[in-house]
mmCIF file of all heavy atoms in Angstrom:
data_model
loop_
_atom_site.group_PDB
_atom_site.id
_atom_site.type_symbol
_atom_site.label_atom_id
_atom_site.label_comp_id
_atom_site.label_asym_id
_atom_site.label_seq_id
_atom_site.Cartn_x
_atom_site.Cartn_y
_atom_site.Cartn_z
ATOM 1 N N TYR A 260 -44.884 -70.929 5.867
ATOM 2 C CA TYR A 260 -45.683 -70.589 7.045
ATOM 3 C C TYR A 260 -47.125 -71.029 6.830
ATOM 4 O O TYR A 260 -47.722 -70.769 5.777
ATOM 5 C CB TYR A 260 -45.635 -69.086 7.318
ATOM 6 C CG TYR A 260 -46.605 -68.643 8.392
ATOM 7 C CD1 TYR A 260 -46.480 -69.113 9.700
ATOM 8 C CD2 TYR A 260 -47.645 -67.759 8.100
ATOM 9 C CE1 TYR A 260 -47.368 -68.711 10.692
ATOM 10 C CE2 TYR A 260 -48.530 -67.344 9.083
ATOM 11 C CZ TYR A 260 -48.398 -67.824 10.378
ATOM 12 O OH TYR A 260 -49.284 -67.431 11.339
ATOM 13 N N ILE A 261 -47.692 -71.699 7.836
ATOM 14 C CA ILE A 261 -49.060 -72.199 7.756
ATOM 15 C C ILE A 261 -49.898 -71.511 8.829
ATOM 16 O O ILE A 261 -49.717 -71.752 10.025
ATOM 17 C CB ILE A 261 -49.121 -73.730 7.957
ATOM 18 C CG1 ILE A 261 -48.151 -74.443 7.011
ATOM 19 C CG2 ILE A 261 -50.547 -74.227 7.749
ATOM 20 C CD1 ILE A 261 -48.476 -74.294 5.546
ATOM 21 N N SER A 262 -50.802 -70.649 8.394
ATOM 22 C CA SER A 262 -51.705 -69.985 9.339
ATOM 23 C C SER A 262 -53.022 -70.736 9.467
ATOM 24 O O SER A 262 -53.791 -70.484 10.400
ATOM 25 C CB SER A 262 -51.982 -68.545 8.883
ATOM 26 O OG SER A 262 -52.587 -68.533 7.600
ATOM 27 N N ASP A 263 -53.261 -71.659 8.551
ATOM 28 C CA ASP A 263 -54.489 -72.448 8.554
ATOM 29 C C ASP A 263 -54.361 -73.568 9.585
ATOM 30 O O ASP A 263 -53.769 -74.612 9.335
ATOM 31 C CB ASP A 263 -54.724 -73.025 7.154
ATOM 32 C CG ASP A 263 -56.040 -73.785 7.036
ATOM 33 O OD1 ASP A 263 -56.686 -74.028 8.073
ATOM 34 O OD2 ASP A 263 -56.412 -74.156 5.906
ATOM 35 N N LEU A 264 -54.923 -73.346 10.764
ATOM 36 C CA LEU A 264 -54.792 -74.322 11.839
ATOM 37 C C LEU A 264 -55.473 -75.642 11.510
ATOM 38 O O LEU A 264 -55.004 -76.703 11.938
ATOM 39 C CB LEU A 264 -55.366 -73.754 13.136
ATOM 40 C CG LEU A 264 -54.686 -72.491 13.677
ATOM 41 C CD1 LEU A 264 -55.337 -72.054 14.990
ATOM 42 C CD2 LEU A 264 -53.191 -72.710 13.884
ATOM 43 N N SER A 265 -56.549 -75.581 10.742
ATOM 44 C CA SER A 265 -57.233 -76.826 10.381
ATOM 45 C C SER A 265 -56.342 -77.698 9.500
ATOM 46 O O SER A 265 -56.363 -78.930 9.609
ATOM 47 C CB SER A 265 -58.553 -76.525 9.667
ATOM 48 O OG SER A 265 -58.329 -75.822 8.443
ATOM 49 N N LEU A 266 -55.538 -77.066 8.630
ATOM 50 C CA LEU A 266 -54.611 -77.822 7.802
ATOM 51 C C LEU A 266 -53.558 -78.492 8.671
ATOM 52 O O LEU A 266 -53.211 -79.670 8.468
ATOM 53 C CB LEU A 266 -53.943 -76.908 6.778
ATOM 54 C CG LEU A 266 -52.797 -77.525 5.950
ATOM 55 C CD1 LEU A 266 -53.292 -78.739 5.172
ATOM 56 C CD2 LEU A 266 -52.189 -76.486 5.016
ATOM 57 N N LEU A 267 -53.037 -77.766 9.655
ATOM 58 C CA LEU A 267 -52.037 -78.352 10.551
ATOM 59 C C LEU A 267 -52.642 -79.452 11.413
ATOM 60 O O LEU A 267 -51.999 -80.473 11.681
ATOM 61 C CB LEU A 267 -51.420 -77.270 11.428
ATOM 62 C CG LEU A 267 -50.457 -76.321 10.720
ATOM 63 C CD1 LEU A 267 -49.968 -75.241 11.678
ATOM 64 C CD2 LEU A 267 -49.266 -77.077 10.146
ATOM 65 N N GLU A 268 -53.867 -79.259 11.845
ATOM 66 C CA GLU A 268 -54.532 -80.297 12.646
ATOM 67 C C GLU A 268 -54.670 -81.594 11.862
ATOM 68 O O GLU A 268 -54.355 -82.678 12.371
ATOM 69 C CB GLU A 268 -55.907 -79.799 13.092
ATOM 70 C CG GLU A 268 -55.860 -78.719 14.149
ATOM 71 C CD GLU A 268 -57.229 -78.097 14.404
ATOM 72 O OE1 GLU A 268 -58.190 -78.469 13.680
ATOM 73 O OE2 GLU A 268 -57.353 -77.250 15.303
ATOM 74 N N SER A 269 -55.109 -81.487 10.617
ATOM 75 C CA SER A 269 -55.286 -82.687 9.799
ATOM 76 C C SER A 269 -53.939 -83.312 9.452
ATOM 77 O O SER A 269 -53.808 -84.545 9.394
ATOM 78 C CB SER A 269 -56.063 -82.352 8.516
ATOM 79 O OG SER A 269 -55.348 -81.412 7.716
ATOM 80 N N THR A 270 -52.927 -82.455 9.245
ATOM 81 C CA THR A 270 -51.589 -82.971 8.935
ATOM 82 C C THR A 270 -51.020 -83.745 10.113
ATOM 83 O O THR A 270 -50.521 -84.858 9.962
ATOM 84 C CB THR A 270 -50.648 -81.817 8.553
ATOM 85 O OG1 THR A 270 -51.149 -81.148 7.394
ATOM 86 C CG2 THR A 270 -49.248 -82.342 8.252
ATOM 87 N N VAL A 271 -51.093 -83.143 11.301
ATOM 88 C CA VAL A 271 -50.574 -83.800 12.505
ATOM 89 C C VAL A 271 -51.362 -85.077 12.794
ATOM 90 O O VAL A 271 -50.784 -86.093 13.222
ATOM 91 C CB VAL A 271 -50.618 -82.845 13.709
ATOM 92 C CG1 VAL A 271 -50.353 -83.582 15.019
ATOM 93 C CG2 VAL A 271 -49.600 -81.727 13.520
ATOM 94 N N LYS A 272 -52.647 -85.049 12.554
ATOM 95 C CA LYS A 272 -53.461 -86.254 12.775
ATOM 96 C C LYS A 272 -52.983 -87.405 11.906
ATOM 97 O O LYS A 272 -52.978 -88.565 12.332
ATOM 98 C CB LYS A 272 -54.932 -85.950 12.482
ATOM 99 C CG LYS A 272 -55.862 -87.134 12.741
ATOM 100 C CD LYS A 272 -57.323 -86.760 12.490
ATOM 101 C CE LYS A 272 -58.235 -87.937 12.772
ATOM 102 N NZ LYS A 272 -59.672 -87.582 12.529
ATOM 103 N N THR A 273 -52.543 -87.065 10.697
ATOM 104 C CA THR A 273 -52.084 -88.102 9.769
ATOM 105 C C THR A 273 -50.672 -88.560 10.097
ATOM 106 O O THR A 273 -50.421 -89.750 10.296
ATOM 107 C CB THR A 273 -52.133 -87.578 8.325
ATOM 108 O OG1 THR A 273 -53.476 -87.178 8.020
ATOM 109 C CG2 THR A 273 -51.691 -88.655 7.343
ATOM 110 N N ILE A 274 -49.741 -87.618 10.161
ATOM 111 C CA ILE A 274 -48.338 -88.007 10.368
ATOM 112 C C ILE A 274 -48.068 -88.426 11.803
ATOM 113 O O ILE A 274 -47.103 -89.151 12.079
ATOM 114 C CB ILE A 274 -47.381 -86.874 9.959
ATOM 115 C CG1 ILE A 274 -47.482 -85.668 10.891
ATOM 116 C CG2 ILE A 274 -47.625 -86.461 8.516
ATOM 117 C CD1 ILE A 274 -46.521 -84.539 10.563
ATOM 118 N N GLY A 275 -48.926 -87.985 12.733
ATOM 119 C CA GLY A 275 -48.732 -88.304 14.145
ATOM 120 C C GLY A 275 -48.951 -89.763 14.474
ATOM 121 O O GLY A 275 -48.602 -90.219 15.567
#
Side-chain angles (χ1 to χ4, degrees):
Y260 171 63
I261 308 295
S262 60
D263 184 350
L264 298 181
S265 62
L266 172 59
L267 287 177
E268 289 171 356
S269 62
T270 299
V271 169
K272 182 178 181 180
T273 302
I274 68 178

